[in-house]
Amino acid sequence: MNYTYIVECADGSLYCGWTNDLEKRIADHNDGKGGKYTRSRLPVKLVYFEEFETKEEAMSREWHIKELSREEKLKLIKNKSWE
């Protein structure tokens, strides 16, 4: 399975990425081994994810989410159904 995810950083900013191992990726972010953006904004908290069969689908969704405004991302997070 592949995932597109959004984490909330300690400073309140949002970071979107994709991975094929969601738990490990979040742990990597919090260990300072994730994206350069998140390293100075730890800890991060998983606030949203979607599952995909292929990495291409996950990467495409990541690109589309990154194109959203902050308000649109917050609306997406608010309407999540995985909790």
Side-chain angles (χ1 to χ4, degrees):
M1 203 44 78
N2 296 275
Y3 305 89
T4 301
Y5 64 92
I6 301 174
V7 294
E8 182 178 8
C9 300
D11 66 358
S13 63
L14 301 172
Y15 175 87
C16 181
W18 80 274
T19 184
N20 60 8
D21 188 339
L22 191 56
E23 287 184 28
K24 181 180 183 311
R25 186 64 175 151
I26 302 306
D28 285 348
H29 277 298
N30 282 318
D31 288 341
K33 300 181 222 164
K36 187 166 128 178
Y37 181 84
T38 61
R39 280 186 216 139
S40 63
R41 296 168 171 85
L42 299 176
V44 301
K45 178 177 94 173
L46 180 66
V47 293
Y48 183 83
F49 73 90
E50 295 178 24
E51 295 180 345
F52 298 94
E53 289 292 323
T54 68
K55 81 174 189 178
E56 290 78 16
E57 290 172 303
M59 292 171 75
S60 175
R61 182 61 172 149
E62 174 193 14
W63 183 85
H64 284 91
I65 290 174
K66 285 183 173 183
E67 292 294 304
L68 298 176
S69 68
R70 177 175 173 83
E71 291 74 27
E72 290 169 321
K73 290 174 190 167
L74 291 171
K75 187 181 288 187
L76 187 66
I77 293 164
K78 182 181 177 191
N79 293 326
K80 70 184 176 206
S81 61
W82 51 271
E83 268 193 332

